[in-house]
């Protein structure tokens, strides 16, 4: 499972989704486009675009107390330049962490130091649990309404509502071509993003 997806509250995502089949098709096609896009980038070009993403997010990062992002997998855009900037500003940074494969996701401070139960590097279990006010989330695609198509594991679906209620700003990260011009099917538990950031800029979504 990719690094998709804090609070101890258990939130059960309804199953099955009425849009599961159509979302699976969209996810498959969007992943193929993302892989092809990244495969066409030279290493220096990709790094330059990810540095530009950090510049795009600089105002939000500089205003935040705790910035949470994710450990990139495969063709996901890498937010580590963003986290490096936050660390240079003495802002607390955090990454998703799981106690076990069935546990709810938390954000723990620090850097990846061990493999998590889903095969994604995460901070160690003794790292402090933190509550971010800026959450940078990975995605497969996003539409004009801020509807996020994730990896399908449901980890973020279980926590984004609580994060939003606590006042966090939720920004999806991706390559420009991940912003699609069609509507992604919405399930009742989907939480719209506050914005989408790519190397091309930051798009805010209206409520």
């Amino acid at each position: 499972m990719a690094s998709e997806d804090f609070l101890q509250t258990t939130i059960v995502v309804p199953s099955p989704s009425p849009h599961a089949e159509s979302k699976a098709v969209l996810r498959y096609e969007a992943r193929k486009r993302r892989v092809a896009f990244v495969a066409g980038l030279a290493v220096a070009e990709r790094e330059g675009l990810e540095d530009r993403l950090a510049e795009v997010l600089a105002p939000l990062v500089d205003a935040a107390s705790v910035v949470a992002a994710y450990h990139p997998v495969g063709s996901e855009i890498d937010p580590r330049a963003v986290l490096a900037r936050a660390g240079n500003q003495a802002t607390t940074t955090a990454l998703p962490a799981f106690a076990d494969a069935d546990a709810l996701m938390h954000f723990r401070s620090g850097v990846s130091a061990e493999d998590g139960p889903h095969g994604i590097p995460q901070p160690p279990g003794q790292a402090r649990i933190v509550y971010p006010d800026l959450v940078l989330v990975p995605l497969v695609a996003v539409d004009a309404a801020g509807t996020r198509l994730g990896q399908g594991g449901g980890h973020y679906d279980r926590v984004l509502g609580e994060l939003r209620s606590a006042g966090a700003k939720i920004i999806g990260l991706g390559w420009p071509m991940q912003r699609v011009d069609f509507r992604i099917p919405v399930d009742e538990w989907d939480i719209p993003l506050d914005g989408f950031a790519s190397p091309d800029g930051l798009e805010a979504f209206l409520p």
Side-chain angles (χ1 to χ4, degrees):
M1 183 182 299
S3 60
E4 298 284 307
D5 308 9
F6 93 19
L7 301 174
Q8 295 286 358
T9 306
T10 299
I11 302 174
V12 178
V13 175
S15 181
S17 161
H19 305 298
E21 185 173 350
S22 59
K23 280 188 169 182
V25 172
L26 292 175
R27 187 177 292 115
Y28 174 75
E29 295 297 331
R31 280 179 180 147
K32 283 203 307 181
R33 290 194 301 272
R34 186 178 67 184
V35 168
F37 173 80
V38 172
L41 298 175
V43 172
E45 186 179 8
R46 178 173 180 172
E47 291 175 349
L49 291 173
E50 289 166 340
D51 287 342
R52 193 186 306 167
L53 176 68
E55 295 173 4
V56 167
L57 287 165
L60 291 179
V61 168
D62 293 351
S65 297
V66 181
V67 177
Y70 56 91
H71 188 97
V73 173
S75 58
E76 290 178 340
I77 197 165
D78 192 335
R80 282 177 286 193
V82 181
L83 292 178
R85 178 185 177 87
N88 290 338
Q89 299 292 324
T91 301
T92 299
T93 62
L95 294 168
F98 299 84
D100 56 59
D102 297 321
L104 195 67
M105 186 190 78
H106 291 81
F107 286 108
R108 292 187 182 273
S109 63
V111 299
S112 299
E114 63 185 30
D115 284 340
H118 300 293
I120 306 300
Q122 63 181 40
Q126 65 268 30
R128 181 168 54 100
I129 292 176
V130 295
Y131 304 96
D133 53 341
L134 176 61
V135 187
L136 308 176
V137 302
L139 49 80
V140 177
V142 61
D143 67 16
T147 302
R148 169 185 175 270
L149 183 65
Q151 294 284 6
H155 301 298
Y156 276 111
D157 294 327
R158 295 180 176 91
V159 302
L160 286 184
E162 298 255 13
L163 290 165
R164 170 70 55 68
S165 295
K169 185 178 292 292
I170 303 166
I171 305 295
L173 304 188
W175 306 104
M177 36 70 62
Q178 291 180 258
R179 166 65 164 84
V180 297
D181 58 5
F182 54 83
R183 295 302 295 269
I184 295 171
V186 179
D187 288 303
E188 60 182 299
W189 55 83
D190 288 331
I191 304 296
L193 301 175
D194 293 303
F196 170 62
S198 78
D200 283 358
L202 174 64
E203 177 182 6
F205 299 120
L206 297 176

